[in-house]
Amino acid sequence: MSHQMPQGPNCLDLWREKNDQLVRQAKVAQDSSLSLRRQQLAQDALEGLRELLHSLQGLPAAVPALPLELTVTCNFIILKTSVAQGFTEDQAQAIQRGLERVLETQEQLGPRLERGLGELWDSVLHVSSLLPELLPALHCLAGLQAALWLSTDHLRYLALLLQSLNGSQSGSSEDLLLHLKTWSPPAEESDAPLILQDAQGLRDVLLTAFPYRQGLQELIIGNLPKALSSLHEVASGLCPRPVLVQVYTALGTCLRKMGNPQRALVYLLEALKGGSALGPPLLEASRLYQQLGDTAAELESLELLVEVKNCQALSVTQSSEAPQLLIEVELLLPQSDPASPLHCGTQSQAKHLLASRCLQTGRAEDAAEHYLDLLALLLDGSEPRFSPPPSPPGPCMPEVFLEAAAALIQAGRAQDALTVCEELLSRTSSLLPKMSQLWKDARKGTKDLPHCPLWVSATHLLQGQAWVQLGSQKEAVSEFSWCLELLFRATPKDKEQGAPSNCEQGCKSDVTLQQLRAAALISRGLEWVARGQDTKALQDFLLSVQMCPGNRDASIHLLQTLRRLDRRDEATAFWWRLEAQTKLPQKDATWSLPLYLETCLSWIRPSDHETCLEEFRTSVLEPRDL
Amino acid sequence: PLGGLASGKPRVLCHEAEAFLSTGSELVYVYDLEGGLLTAAYRFPGQVWHLELLAPRRALYVLCAGKGIYCLSLDHLSRSTSQDDGDSEDGELPSSVVPVGPDACVLPDASLCAFTVLDGTLVTLAQGPTQWKIQLFERPCPGEDPQPGGQIGEVELSTYTPPAGVPGKPADPCFLPVLCCVSPPASRVPHGHLWGSGSFTLKEALFGLLFGADATLLESPVILCGLPDGQLCSVVLKALVTSRSAPGDPKALVKILHHLEEPVIFIGALRTEPQAEEAAEEMPPGEDVHSDCLVALGHYGRTLAIKASWDKAGNLVPELREYCLPGPVLCAACGGGGRVYHSTPSDLCMVDLARGSTPSDPTQPEEGPGGLPPLLCPASLSACSVVTLSVSSRAPEGDTELLALSAKGRLMTFSLDLNSEVPGLSAVSRADTGQKIKELLSGIGNVSERVSFLKKAVDQRNKALTSLNEAMNVSCALLSSREGPRPISCTTTAAWSRLQMQDVLTATCLLENRSAFHLGQGWTLCVQVLTSCSALDLDSAGAATTYTIPVDQLGPGGQREVTLPLGPGENGSFDLPVTVSCTLFYSLREVVGRALAPSDSFEEPFLDEEPPDVLPEQEGICLPLSRHTVDLLQSLRFPGLAPPCTQAPPLRGPADPVDTFLEARREPGSHPSGPASLRAAYLPPSVACIKVSAELLRAALEDSRLPLCCATLRWLLAENAAADVVRARALSSVQGVAPDGADVHLIVREVAVTDLCLAGPIQVVEIQVESSSLADVCRAHHAVIGRMQTMVTQQAAQGSSPPDLRVQYLRQIHANHEALLREVQALRDRLCVEDEASSCATAQRLLQVYKQLRNPSLVLL
């Protein structure tokens, strides 16, 4: 069967020249240091390739023109994918169109049935054995198809495609990696039209991307041994330096989770030597040190992380490493996931992590400083790019304020804490129920009471604590009373809160509410004790015990107060109850309270907890012995 | 003063005394509002979709469809050299159209659909393959630095169904999404100065209520986005900052505020409360008003208003109300004093959202913000088809000045006095007079535009009514005249003609209007050609082809002729007989639908929609005119009879090149090949025969001058256009050529039948059909019998009485026939189940039986 070239050979040459010129333009764009120019050049080249493809496909498919047409298709797909940073439906259609054109020359397309891409590939590869001149371009297109299927997790299709490419008939082997390794694309001829990335290059990318992707996915779902072997596979192969850094980090995460901290550390150090993208390995290192209990090292890594993030934020304008205009390993990785070891959050998230870890590990001064830095970062409104808030799963913004206040109190800077609390209240005043209304209602005793978000009550609690530290009992008591007033109105079931925030659901949990109430009652009770008004204190402690029957702190305060008031019988009775309780298994010990509340609870914990109980035991048991 | 509008997304913006205008084409115009002059025009490389002005930086940002965002510095603008563009297509363009080159492009991205600009950042909305994507860039500046801002953040919005376009070239979206930026009042950035024209400030309470405590605490601006699918979603800007490796989590970042269920075309904010005293003092004059009500408008008029209010207990609750305004809304704007202006193709309306806010109970003045009005009453501003609106910033206190661009391209300003109590007349100073006259003139222009629009609509409706009336008359005339010639008729004749080297049988339908009415727009002649099913393929129904021909103005006495091909079909075969039925159709949709759709004067794509469903299910009126059957007798040709001089080369039907080739290759002396000749050589011709009583025929034909046989033949071929030769000679037998090329022989002779009638022999005309092609015999037989049937029915109506018959004999014939029919049935059944060898014998037998059946001894009396 004879195919008539629709245009003279010079036309084909012209198109080919155009293709080569566009590829060169894309390469110039790649090397261009100015990113705007680069983007424009790339977009122009893409538009040129699209037009060229249009003119090529406007004619009936013919074998002599097909290698050029397929090459242009490949160039178009490569450029489009790298400009759009991902595969889209467009690219799949371009591949399909290319395959159909190949079949058209063989008149095997038949009626335009809806054929799957897989079947198309089958028929095309079958046909291509008759047309060896098409093979280089077809292999390149196959490489792109493989990349596309990898990025969409169509691994079964991918395996079948590779099998047919390798010519192996046995459908038994499911080992994709093996197929990839045995795939040897034919070498490009020297006079072939230029291509942005040849089949060999695509194969190398796939060889890295496939096990890496597998490893990350397994790691995220927790299938650690599989993840480890996949990641080892990547690390042992040839892969670009930045990818290697990521792989080492992932290996570190994997080994840490498998309980091999020392080996994990080795990989992390290796990753840090890589020099680029220091964030993830540093974050991972901090987790590792936390697991090892090495607080100093942990905090040091976090500090370094914060520093790295600062530098990155400053250099965001320079957008250091522009992505290559090629299919790269990064394009084929799964969507970024917070659970991924490569996720290290934003600058402020790093800062918050550092600050909260400092607070948790008892370095109150550092914590206070870091919290103040963080707040300054977040609230300095002029430059939005430097100040993203910690996004969930972290605490919401009001909680960050509360944590800062708690850290300041802990560090003995009560006055600063008060300022932070006032700032929080003033900034959100518009969201709060009208206070005048509140007072009026309170006086009237109306049933219909307004609701406040929990963090408002918590702010008053912390303000009270700050006043306690400043020695101003009157203010402290009034703040605690305010706090309790608000808390007893809040019912956790109330979903229709005024200001919904993405994390208020979390703040509103029953346990938090109970603990807050207990904390406020105990705090006020302690103030009564300090003023010598033991009866009032007793009332508060009693209430707090009723509120939170499992709260040992409340119970001990109650016991001590009863003893001070010399109400021995009641004290004994209560002690017995307490004893019985302690024998019961501790339940609900796993809940995690907000950090500010934990900190606050630590302040009102009776200092000599055990000795006090011991003392009491002897004193209670003595009279019985008599 | 501009040319017509291109179908696009016109925008108008104004800043101080300048107005920036895009009509949806590639051009952006700059007007000096005070002088009423066009100061500059810029030509962009693509359709302009959106304009935004960053006033403090004196920069104009322009989104070009499929190209990206361009930035022009207004300072350059003033000293732009007048470059002659040469090809000013829009007639009235100023001589200086400055082309904007790629140097001004600050963000090349073909998929951008909308953007808004803030001082430090540029927020864009791009159309991804399956999702909308909000991206945040550092604001690029014109000229200073060719570096584009780095991308700071990105988040994907909800999925959408991509418009079905050519792969690789997404179709132009009908509706563009709307983006705007909302900032909290406390923001330390002096907003109103550093924000672009697409942003506004909300009061704290509403802001916090809508966007949450985090956004309030951070004092972060919020991006509001209205999508064409009706979603209204918000993204806290400060939370959007993400790294490239980790795009934001949409669930955490994007909050859907509402779903309007129709394309969102406008988002705005306004102040419904009268400014409180103390607040007014606090606010420096010229500062942005903090709006307390967020408004979103959908294309079909659904309007959402959200306010913050406090419930009885003092809780902050959102007050959310949906209204329905007359749509389709072309554009909208928010003005001072709680007014929303929106434009439909027929009017520019104003609604007042503040009206409900007057405290109903004066005893509770500190109740807080009043509610939204339960109903909105649009007040007309008497201007139609305004396609884009903008509230001017230079209006004096208390007034609103609207800048509007009409569909015809007129730029108008409306000055609205908000305090309607102000006495209408005041002393007009001399300086004002000129201004007054100007206003009056512009008012006249305004009114004339509206009048022309309304007039057009009325004309259209009148035309539709006239047309409907005519249609009624025509229908009545056609349906009521059962007897006599119909006022509108359609006659069909068949003839051979030569087209493109091929003989084609054509049917000519002649539509004649003998009524007093006019067939005008909306009428269509539908001709349905229904072929009989092929004898070989019993299961298939005949194929029907319908031709529709618009009857474009057919006055009384007018005629229209339509010629349609009947055959040969694709495979060269003729499926005779063919039934041609003609019908008149009146399309209600075409005539009435156009008049009911109010918006057909706009060429904008989104207005070319189906008219609302006011039309009944039935789309038109259908009036059958005639039905005509073209059979073999009408399509016979008589090459043998034609005069030799005019005779064309032997017509053997359409000449098949392969046959010609084979013929040429045939060796001399060999037998003629080809199925027809073979059949002619070896098979006796098939014969069918019909006998009719001569008396009956004579009575029917009423032509005694000719011998009966000749008259009969003439009668049979009466409708054949080629039969003039037959008519010319008094023939009693004729040899014709069937459409498929086989010879057909018609022989008419008088015979006497003796044994049928008691009274003696009766004279009978015998019509014999002979052909080598069995199919043609059948067709001819069928055609003759058809004619006989009509004749007999007519004669029977006239009441002629048959002579006495020998009943016994008739019975016998009848019995014979029944036996034969039964045999046919049996044979056909056998044919279905038998194998090839025996089926051949069965087929033979079947043929014989058919032959006997076709030669009955019965006579039509």
Side-chain angles (χ1 to χ4, degrees), chain B residues 497-569:
Chain B
S497 60
R498 202 166 173 79
L499 282 175
Q500 295 171 350
M501 302 300 292
Q502 207 184 17
D503 285 313
V504 179
L505 182 63
T506 55
T508 306
C509 303
L510 181 68
L511 177 68
E512 272 181 290
N513 182 5
R514 285 188 293 270
S515 69
F517 310 112
H518 200 88
L519 293 183
Q521 189 202 15
W523 286 101
T524 322
L525 176 65
C526 300
V527 183
Q528 191 187 43
V529 178
L530 185 74
T531 59
S532 67
C533 51
S534 161
L536 300 171
D537 191 1
L538 289 168
D539 294 333
S540 75
T545 319
T546 307
Y547 302 87
T548 52
I549 303 104
V551 181
D552 192 28
Q553 305 297 341
L554 191 65
Q559 290 189 343
R560 179 128 319 143
E561 205 177 79
V562 179
T563 306
L564 312 163
L566 294 182

Side-chain angles (χ1 to χ4, degrees), chain A residues 36 50 93 385 397 427 450-451, chain B residues 146 167-168 188 214 217 313 315:
Chain A
L36 175 66
R50 190 204 300 279
Q93 278 173 2
R385 68 167 174 272
M397 277 307 295
R427 276 177 181 253
H451 306 288
Chain B
R188 275 173 217 174
D214 280 4
L217 262 179
N315 287 323

Side-chain angles (χ1 to χ4, degrees), chain A residues 208-219:
Chain A
T208 307
F210 170 66
Y212 186 15
R213 188 179 164 92
Q214 292 288 99
L216 280 182
Q217 281 169 342
E218 299 286 0
L219 182 57

Side-chain angles (χ1 to χ4, degrees), chain A residues 33-36 39-40 43 47 50 84-85 87-90 93 316-319 321 323 335-336 342-343 345-346 378-382 384-385 387-389 392 396-398 401 423-424 427-428 430-434 437 440-441 448-451 455 498-504, chain B residues 66-67 102-103 105-110 120-121 129 133 138 145-148 150-152 156 167-169 188-189 204-205 207-209 211-214 216-219 237-239 241-247 252-253 255 310-318 366-369:
Chain A
S33 54
L34 296 171
S35 61
L36 175 66
Q39 215 168 334
Q40 248 171 3
Q43 208 165 332
E47 202 51 43
R50 190 204 300 279
Q85 287 292 294
F87 286 97
T88 63
E89 192 49 37
D90 251 18
Q93 278 173 2
V316 90
T317 331
Q318 277 76 46
S319 57
E321 15 82 60
Q335 277 287 311
S336 170
L342 306 179
H343 187 91
T346 57
L378 291 177
L379 299 181
D380 178 23
S382 57
R385 68 167 174 272
S387 47
C396 59
M397 277 307 295
F401 272 80
E423 180 75 14
L424 172 61
R427 276 177 181 253
T428 52
S430 61
L431 292 179
L432 305 182
K434 289 188 170 172
Q437 189 82 18
K440 206 163 54 182
D441 286 339
D448 229 2
L449 294 173
H451 306 288
W455 47 262
S501 161
N502 36 29
C503 58
E504 262 163 7
Chain B
K67 299 286 179 196
D103 298 344
C105 186
V106 287
L107 187 67
D109 186 350
T121 45
K133 200 156 62 173
E138 276 188 87
D145 185 8
Q147 196 93 357
Q151 182 179 333
I152 315 172
E156 283 181 340
K169 281 252 173 194
R188 275 173 217 174
V189 189
E204 300 93 331
F207 187 88
L209 196 56
F211 310 122
D214 280 4
T216 314
L217 262 179
L218 288 170
E219 293 174 345
L237 193 65
K238 280 193 183 178
V241 181
T242 49
S243 54
R244 192 165 75 88
S245 57
L253 292 177
K255 192 174 149 195
W310 280 268
D311 65 6
K312 269 187 189 161
N315 287 323
L316 198 58
V317 286
E366 85 263 68
E367 179 64 24

Side-chain angles (χ1 to χ4, degrees), chain A residues 30-84:
Chain A
Q30 178 60 59
D31 299 336
S32 170
S33 54
L34 296 171
S35 61
L36 175 66
R37 171 121 186 90
R38 195 184 115 91
Q39 215 168 334
Q40 248 171 3
L41 276 175
Q43 208 165 332
D44 287 352
L46 186 62
E47 202 51 43
L49 283 171
R50 190 204 300 279
E51 273 165 25
L52 183 56
L53 197 57
H54 238 81
S55 9
L56 275 164
Q57 293 187 338
L59 295 169
V63 175
L66 263 182
L68 176 63
E69 184 182 323
L70 290 180
T71 307
V72 175
T73 306
C74 289
N75 283 334
F76 173 70
I77 295 171
I78 293 169
L79 197 57
K80 170 101 196 205
T81 307
S82 55
V83 165

Side-chain angles (χ1 to χ4, degrees), chain B residues 428-498:
Chain B
V428 182
S429 74
R430 206 157 168 215
D432 285 345
T433 319
Q435 184 63 31
K436 261 281 171 333
I437 289 172
K438 232 185 200 171
E439 276 169 18
L440 281 174
L441 281 177
S442 107
I444 289 170
N446 205 358
V447 168
S448 90
E449 189 165 322
R450 186 172 157 77
V451 163
S452 81
F453 175 81
L454 292 178
K455 207 169 162 191
K456 204 167 154 196
V458 167
D459 278 354
Q460 220 151 33
R461 267 163 221 210
N462 277 342
K463 235 160 114 187
L465 276 179
T466 325
S467 172
L468 268 181
N469 190 31
E470 289 266 8
M472 275 295 286
N473 286 335
V474 170
S475 311
C476 285
L478 263 180
L479 294 177
S480 60
S481 66
R482 289 276 152 81
E483 305 295 320
R486 311 181 82 184
I488 294 172
S489 65
C490 186
T491 48
T492 309
T493 50
W496 284 91
S497 60
R498 202 166 173 79

Side-chain angles (χ1 to χ4, degrees), chain A residues 537-549:
Chain A
L538 185 68
Q539 233 174 18
D540 280 350
F541 292 142
L542 257 175
L543 258 176
S544 73
V545 169
Q546 276 168 16
M547 198 90 319
C548 250

